[in-house]
Amino acid sequence: MAGDDVPLFGRIRDKLVETKQAWARDGRALTGEAPSAARRRLPPGQHETMDWPVLDLGLSPNLQREDWSLSIGGAVEAPLKWDWNQFMAQPQTERVSDIHCVTTWSRYDNAWKGVSARRLLDLVRPRPEARFLMFRSFDGYTTNVPLARFADDDVLLAHSWQGEPLSRDHGGPVRVVIPKLYFWKSAKWLRAITFMDKDAPGYWEMRGYHDEGDPWQEERYR
Ligand SMILES: Nc1nc2c(c(=O)[nH]1)N[C@H]1C(S)=C(S)[C@@H](COP(=O)(O)O)O[C@H]1N2
Ligand SMILES: [Mo]
């Protein structure tokens, strides 16, 4: 009869309750940490670092500002090409944001200055079919992002970090900064942006990295 199970079930349940009561008495798993502000800021699987690691393919182009230019084309109404002076003549935007690298380090409070993605979009006017972008860099690197991610108001084409010109190692003269995606999406030594109606993988996306790369969803690999 089913009734036979009741005492056994009752005993198991009592044991669980006892254990839980004991944990409550001992304050088990209490860390004494402040409410999880730090954890809300740190995506899953990441740890905070104070320095700023350099990560790239090992070919760090030595570009003088005079030799640098940025071409923007593809599915846009008004393609454009900026040299350094034309780029710097654009309205300048400052943003402070966190870096999250897929290799698990995060670096807080990076002060960037540059031209906002919003400004660029106002000028080139993506066609209705444009849904993705490809960044192309002077070292041959490429990476793709959805247009909706690029259109975020914290996205910059940055030339300065913490009030200083962006160093060659970190992508100077100009790099992309997309704070809400893993840092491999933030192309260094930016050379061109192509708007596309269809998605296409970039350098790491072809090698097993996730297509979108949202650190809060832990979209590291495909
Ligand atoms: N042009 C270019 N951009 C690049 C890369 C690269 O190899 N070439 N590496 C990406 C990767 S994997 C990361 S984690 C970040 C590292 O940027 P940092 O060296 O400034 O930390 O740049 C990204 N942008
Ligand atoms: Mo990376």
Side-chain angles (χ1 to χ4, degrees):
M1 282 277 302
D4 296 344
D5 295 340
V6 171
L8 180 61
F9 176 71
R11 279 202 301 279
I12 292 169
R13 202 183 49 191
D14 286 349
K15 213 178 154 209
L16 287 174
V17 170
E18 268 170 38
T19 307
K20 286 184 173 169
Q21 276 179 346
W23 280 34
R25 211 167 43 230
D26 300 345
R28 184 90 160 250
L30 288 181
T31 60
E33 285 166 9
S36 56
R39 232 161 297 147
R40 274 202 303 278
R41 187 170 183 179
L42 198 59
Q46 297 293 111
H47 67 271
E48 190 189 354
T49 181
M50 298 296 164
D51 58 359
W52 186 9
V54 171
L55 282 137
D56 51 51
L57 306 176
L59 319 152
S60 136
N62 191 3
L63 284 161
Q64 304 309 306
R65 289 168 166 183
E66 309 80 67
D67 302 330
W68 178 86
S69 68
L70 172 62
S71 303
I72 302 158
V76 294
E77 299 295 347
L80 64 77
K81 184 170 180 176
W82 279 328
D83 65 19
W84 176 256
N85 291 329
Q86 292 166 323
F87 174 74
M88 293 305 283
Q90 301 303 311
Q92 299 288 307
T93 300
E94 297 185 31
R95 287 280 182 279
V96 175
S97 58
D98 298 344
I99 296 171
H100 305 297
C101 176
V102 72
T103 61
T104 75
W105 58 269
S106 292
R107 191 186 188 287
Y108 293 163
D109 293 328
N110 300 275
W112 305 103
K113 186 172 180 184
V115 175
S116 69
R118 294 277 173 88
R119 166 68 181 172
L120 185 151
L121 292 170
D122 284 348
L123 292 176
V124 301
R125 287 178 284 123
R127 295 208 201 105
E129 67 270 22
R131 289 180 51 231
F132 297 90
L133 293 76
M134 187 71 80
F135 300 119
R136 301 174 197 282
S137 299
F138 283 95
D139 61 343
Y141 187 78
T142 53
T143 188
N144 57 309
V145 294
L147 172 56
R149 291 296 199 162
F150 182 68
D152 249 336
D153 91 323
D154 55 2
V155 175
L156 292 187
L157 310 183
H159 57 74
S160 291
W161 176 79
Q162 317 291 59
E164 301 288 335
L166 196 57
S167 70
R168 175 181 166 189
D169 275 352
H170 287 299
V174 176
R175 78 174 300 158
V176 180
V177 177
I178 306 183
K180 293 195 192 79
L181 297 179
Y182 283 121
F183 211 33
W184 89 75
K185 295 291 189 179
S186 292
K188 310 201 276 191
W189 312 294
L190 183 63
R191 177 173 72 83
I193 305 176
T194 308
F195 288 72
M196 310 182 292
D197 54 354
K198 285 195 203 70
D199 198 8
Y203 183 88
W204 285 119
E205 294 82 9
M206 280 188 266
R207 289 166 176 78
Y209 280 30
H210 196 277
D211 195 61
E212 187 147 342
D214 181 337
W216 299 98
Q217 308 300 321
E218 225 182 337
E219 293 173 344
R220 297 177 192 276
Y221 314 114
R222 199 172 51 214

